[in-house]
Amino acid sequence: MIRGYAASEPGGKLEPFEYDPGPLGGDEVEIEVEFCGLCHSDLSMVDNDWGMSQYPLIPGHEVIGTVAALGAQAKGLALGQRVGLGWHADSCMACEWCRTGNHNLCASAKGTIVGRHGGFAERVRAAAAFVVPVPEGVEAGSAGPLFCGGITVFNPIIQFGVKPTDKVGVVGIGGLGHLALLFLDAWGCEVTAFSSSPEKESEARKLGADHFLNSRDAEALKNAAGTLDFIISTVNVLLDWEAYLAILRPKGRLHLVGAVLQPICLPLFALLPGQKSLSSSPVGAPPTIATMLEFAARHHIRPVVETYPFNQVNEAIEKLREGKARYRIVLARQGNT
Ligand SMILES: NC(=O)c1ccc[n+]([C@@H]2O[C@H](COP(=O)([O-])OP(=O)(O)OC[C@H]3O[C@@H](n4cnc5c(N)ncnc54)[C@H](OP(=O)(O)O)[C@@H]3O)[C@@H](O)[C@H]2O)c1
Ligand SMILES: [Zn+2]
Ligand SMILES: [Zn+2]
């Protein structure tokens, strides 16, 4: 049996829960969990914001742990090795997207906490291809958030060829946003942080922001018109996207990774004259996660975390709900705090 913390209804508190995982699949890995980050998507899944939650639901998809068991066909990993697991736990491995290293775009990719139990538990399972070794130089206690938050903001840098000479913006300085500041600064870009929390300014600058603007201040946004090449937004609410598109230079891109639920309505002429793009993307594929980890190790990029023991998971969730996490909460198994 695997013991963890599960919600039994939408919005419900997490309670101790255990389940029988059955026999280990041939291509599967069982991870002994040491740490697990708390992503806003865990909250959205607990609350069933996206209509795909199944209860009881054990959240947790920013897992760090060690390999406890390997299926007969699970290649490339060793028992006891330190590994991580993010949003995806499996995919078809046969489609065009899986075969070209774009597993996160596979139509049958399986979420670690969608119809299966996640990492707020003693152990968690995933297909071996989705379990990525944690390299030397990446500290286990703070690495979990790289596996969802980190890859979600790093992947677009690779996908769209963001250049070190680019001027870029990050909207929303939370779990994902603070990692975007760290990555884009290390990438070489001139970085503007857009935040609705003025008290985050000095920390945002320490994380790599060269400029700091209020994300909801119409006048500040207007004054920044025509200055940036790439803007990534991590907020899950509607902002004045037309004003953000106006901040882009010609050929610029506004990339939304925050899960905005409302429809986005824009005049085409916010895009057309400057050949601008509006786009979005889901996390990133395992090979890109490995690239990100190597880059993070080389540039000493470390998520800023607040660590809670697993048995305080409900307090941790409340803190994130209130927008008070600085900047990512990580749950630690007993003995790891
Ligand atoms: N695309 C993907 O694959 C992917 C992967 C992971 C997560 N996500 C989604 O990304 C979003 C962010 O996740 P997270 O874990 O980073 O959440 P988070 O830590 O709560 O950060 C979100 C940030 O958005 C800003 N914000 C929140 N409410 C706002 C409002 N009313 N007006 C303006 N700004 C507001 C805040 O930053 P300031 O205080 O700086 O304004 C907040 O810190 C979630 O929707 C999550 O589900 C998507
Ligand atoms: Zn596939
Ligand atoms: Zn996540």
Side-chain angles (χ1 to χ4, degrees), residues 91-99 103 106-109:
S91 71
C92 83
M93 288 298 166
C95 74
E96 175 188 355
W97 306 104
C98 288
R99 284 173 179 273
H103 313 71
C106 173
S108 45

Side-chain angles (χ1 to χ4, degrees), residues 241-242 245 264-273:
W241 303 124
E242 204 176 335
L245 286 167
I264 292 171
C265 184
L266 283 165
L268 181 70
F269 275 77
L271 300 171
L272 189 152

